[in-house]
Amino acid sequence: MSTNLKSILFVVNSPNFFLSHRLPLAIAAKKAGYEVHIATASGHGVSKIKSKGLIHHSIPFERSGQNIFFDFLTFISLIKLFRSVRPTLIHLVTIKPVIYGGIAARLVGIKSVIAAISGLGTVFIDKSFGGYLRQLFVFTFYRAAFKHRNFAVIFQNLDDKNVFIEKNLVKSDHCHIIRGSGVNLSEYSFIQEPDSIPIIVMASRLLKDKGVFEFVESAKILKKQGLKIIFRLIGESDSENKTSISQKLLKKWQSEDFVELLGYREDIADQYAKANIVCLPSYREGLPKSLIEAAACGRAVVTTDVPGCRDAITPGITGLLCSVKDADNLAITIKTLIDDPNMRREMGRAGRELAQAEFAIEYIVNKHLDLYSRLTK
């Protein structure tokens, strides 16, 4: 049980996702006087979490599985953890922590709860009958999770917020918009783009829903037109996600040589500095961190006209929008920026200004800390 007056427990399915998206917030909360606990699945990122002076708890999370018995074990583990730690505030991130953690917090009687909706995920993209049934199932559990008396729901874009209100999942006075998880502007510096063969970069998990197929197909289209360009795909497959790109297909793409496959990289700022255009043709997002980082690096963006992606840019000013699931339109949009270096550079400068005004990590952290203070009075 916590001995401090106020304590926070972050619940995130993956230790690596916590490190990439919530670590600066947890460190800032610790500096502000909170005792900070982190609950994630086990993994190689746990040691780094502990090295930051944060208290870690292992919870059995299966991110994308639908094993009801495993999920029940997760739920029971959260109840036991909440009873043991008794935090003043619980901050739940991603769908399973939000649903199971929200219900568990009600049962245990936790004082304050924040649910962070990082995006609506595959279940909201799937338009099949099975997808519709899964939506009904998920909606039911969201409603149950959001019945806490003292809670807030953080959305990263207005579209997601409106979906939850329209579906009667949450009332508007519990909703807050915080645009993404922020970016450290000192780590993602603004460097003028190279004056060489145009390089187009996509950095993402290698999932169908991220628009990987369209990115590769647009590279084929433009290279077959005779353009001297380089397409680079950064990221790795996700074995726990059913839309992940197979290793067999990755080997095929590698042999075709339309796209350079760089795999998982941690030097994203350096990769963007070497690029001219950053691309993310995703089907739907919360607010993609890759595009926030692109803006900070001063790179023009091409992304899809869907919730989350269009919220990460100022259309026509910091980047261009294309049609979703449309490789031909994506290729045309990319070519517009290839053909106009001056437009690219203007958009890059405007992107850096947008990042400084809206996405700086200090600004995002302070908005969270203000919300923590209000809920734990």
Side-chain angles (χ1 to χ4, degrees):
M1 182 170 177
S2 171
T3 57
N4 282 8
L5 180 62
K6 290 184 180 181
S7 57
I8 293 177
L9 171 60
F10 290 85
V11 184
V12 187
N13 53 20
S14 160
N16 287 332
F17 186 87
F18 168 79
L19 289 169
S20 62
H21 288 73
R22 293 296 185 278
L23 178 60
L25 177 55
I27 291 173
K30 191 171 186 290
K31 288 180 179 178
Y34 293 91
E35 180 181 275
V36 181
H37 297 252
I38 315 297
T40 73
S42 57
H44 68 269
V46 169
S47 58
K48 184 172 181 180
I49 292 172
K50 291 179 178 178
S51 74
K52 300 297 181 180
L54 306 172
I55 305 166
H56 184 268
H57 308 269
S58 291
I59 294 290
F61 275 115
E62 190 178 38
R63 288 189 295 114
S64 302
Q66 298 178 20
N67 185 323
I68 190 170
F69 298 106
F70 194 95
D71 285 353
F72 183 70
L73 174 62
T74 301
F75 179 63
I76 296 300
S77 298
L78 288 171
I79 289 176
K80 290 179 179 178
L81 177 62
F82 294 174
R83 284 178 175 161
S84 172
V85 176
R86 284 283 171 183
T88 314
L89 170 70
I90 291 178
H91 188 154
L92 308 165
V93 184
T94 66
I95 184 168
K96 286 192 177 183
V98 166
I99 289 176
Y100 301 146
I103 296 171
R106 284 179 56 206
L107 294 176
V108 174
I110 299 300
K111 178 183 176 183
S112 307
V113 177
I114 289 177
I117 307 300
S118 303
L120 299 191
T122 305
V123 69
F124 287 83
I125 297 170
D126 188 352
K127 301 301 181 183
S128 68
F129 181 69
Y132 172 73
L133 292 179
R134 282 192 292 274
Q135 280 188 27
L136 291 180
F137 179 80
V138 169
F139 289 160
T140 300
F141 279 92
Y142 267 131
R143 289 190 188 97
F146 291 165
K147 286 185 177 179
H148 197 283
R149 283 191 231 174
N150 186 39
F151 82 104
V153 183
I154 298 174
F155 296 93
Q156 296 188 341
N157 65 70
L158 194 59
D159 290 273
D160 289 354
K161 173 186 169 183
N162 289 339
V163 167
F164 273 61
I165 293 172
E166 289 165 7
K167 299 294 184 182
N168 198 30
L169 305 181
V170 64
K171 293 183 179 178
S172 60
D173 55 351
H174 290 294
C175 298
H176 302 265
I177 298 283
I178 299 180
R179 296 178 68 187
S181 51
V183 62
N184 188 329
L185 294 172
S186 64
E187 293 179 3
Y188 290 82
S189 304
F190 175 41
I191 300 171
Q192 289 290 345
E193 67 170 75
D195 186 17
S196 57
I197 296 175
I199 297 173
I200 301 92
V201 169
M202 176 179 175
S204 166
R205 286 184 297 158
L206 301 187
L207 309 178
K208 178 184 176 183
D209 297 345
K210 297 295 183 181
V212 177
F213 283 101
E214 289 78 7
F215 182 75
V216 173
E217 188 60 31
S218 68
K220 293 179 181 179
I221 291 168
L222 292 175
K223 288 195 172 184
K224 285 178 179 178
Q225 292 177 9
L227 271 69
K228 291 185 177 180
I229 47 176
I230 297 171
F231 275 67
R232 288 179 179 160
L233 183 57
I234 300 172
E236 60 186 351
S237 299
D238 183 349
S239 60
E240 292 190 46
N241 194 302
K242 65 180 182 180
T243 72
S244 184
I245 307 300
S246 69
Q247 290 300 315
K248 181 179 179 181
L249 185 54
L250 289 175
K251 288 179 181 178
K252 179 176 180 290
W253 286 345
Q254 197 164 26
S255 67
E256 291 174 342
D257 202 29
F258 289 106
V259 175
E260 295 180 3
L261 303 178
L262 273 61
Y264 174 77
R265 301 289 294 249
E266 293 187 348
D267 60 337
I268 298 299
D270 185 51
Q271 293 301 320
Y272 284 175
K274 295 174 182 177
N276 303 83
I277 300 167
V278 174
C279 181
L280 183 68
S282 179
Y283 298 174
R284 188 179 186 121
E285 295 283 334
L287 199 89
K289 190 174 178 67
S290 64
L291 298 189
I292 293 172
E293 293 167 345
C297 291
R299 291 299 173 264
V301 166
V302 173
T303 191
T304 37
D305 190 7
V306 298
C309 291
R310 59 175 170 245
D311 299 275
I313 71 170
T314 305
I317 304 297
T318 69
L320 299 177
L321 296 174
C322 66
S323 303
V324 68
K325 302 181 184 180
D326 188 339
D328 290 313
N329 188 248
L330 175 60
I332 290 168
T333 309
I334 291 172
K335 189 173 186 300
T336 300
L337 288 181
I338 291 172
D339 291 342
D340 196 336
N342 290 330
M343 180 192 293
R344 287 201 311 264
R345 295 186 186 103
E346 286 299 319
M347 286 184 167
R349 282 189 283 269
R352 178 67 181 188
E353 292 172 3
L354 175 65
Q356 290 170 328
E358 298 287 340
F359 302 137
I361 190 63
E362 297 82 3
Y363 174 73
I364 298 297
V365 163
N366 286 336
K367 292 196 77 169
H368 280 88
L369 292 180
D370 287 345
L371 188 54
Y372 291 172
S373 180
R374 276 185 272 165
L375 286 176
T376 59
K377 282 181 180 178

